[in-house]
Amino acid sequence: MAKDKVLSDLFLDTLKDIYFAEKKILSALPKMAKAAQSPKLRAAFEKHMGETEGQVDRLEQVFASIDESPKGKTCDAIMGILDEGKEIMDEYKGTAALDAGLLAAAQAVEHYEISRYGTLKTWASELGYKDAVKLLDATLKEEKTTDSTLSQIAETEVNRHAETAQAA
C-alpha cells in the first residue's frame, strides 16, 4: 500500500518546485533585462538577478535545514509564465508596448513566487522548521519588494510610454 502523504511531503515537493522555478527565472532574467528598453526596468531586472542568486542559496539552506539535498522538480506553472514572457519579447520586439508586456510577465512571476513562498513559510512554521521559516520569510519580503518596485515602474513610466507612443 502506498505511503500516506503528509504536510512534510507536500512541503518538500513544493520546495523542489520553487527551487526549479528560481533556477529557470535566473536564466530568463538576463534575456528580459537585455530586451527591456526602459533603463529603470532593465536596472530592476538586473537587481533582481542578484537577489534571485541569493534566493537560490537560501533555498539550498532550507533543504539543508531539513536534511534534504537540493533538487528541483519541474514546475509547469513557471514554465508557462516564462513562455508567455518569451512570446511577448518575440511579438512586441521594438514596439512601445514591449516594456509593459515584459513588466506584466515579470509581475506574473513575482505573484507566483509570493504565493509559493507564503505557503512554504506557513507550512514550515506548522512543521516546526524554524530555520526554514526565517529563510523563506527573507525571500518572501524580497519578492514583495520587487513586485512593488515593478508596479511603481509600470505606473510612473512604462505603461504611459506604451499608451502614448506613436507607431513609427
Side-chain angles (χ1 to χ4, degrees), residues 49-137:
M49 273 188 273
E51 288 176 346
T52 303
E53 289 169 354
Q55 292 165 358
V56 169
D57 290 343
R58 252 187 243 125
L59 285 171
E60 290 170 354
Q61 292 174 50
V62 172
F63 278 106
S65 76
I66 61 169
D67 296 321
E68 293 285 344
S69 297
K71 183 180 175 194
K73 175 182 175 183
T74 301
C75 173
D76 293 330
I78 209 67
M79 295 305 291
I81 293 169
L82 292 176
D83 284 347
E84 285 180 8
K86 185 181 180 322
E87 190 175 299
I88 288 166
M89 284 190 280
D90 292 343
E91 289 184 21
Y92 288 85
K93 184 177 183 176
T95 72
L98 174 64
D99 282 352
L102 285 171
L103 205 145
Q107 284 196 286
V109 169
E110 292 308 309
H111 295 171
Y112 177 78
E113 291 175 306
I114 289 166
S115 169
R116 283 293 188 220
Y117 283 112
T119 297
L120 283 167
K121 178 186 163 189
T122 299
W123 288 346
S125 179
E126 291 173 13
L127 291 164
Y129 299 158
K130 290 179 183 161
D131 292 339
V133 170
K134 290 176 192 163
L135 293 162
L136 294 164
D137 185 56

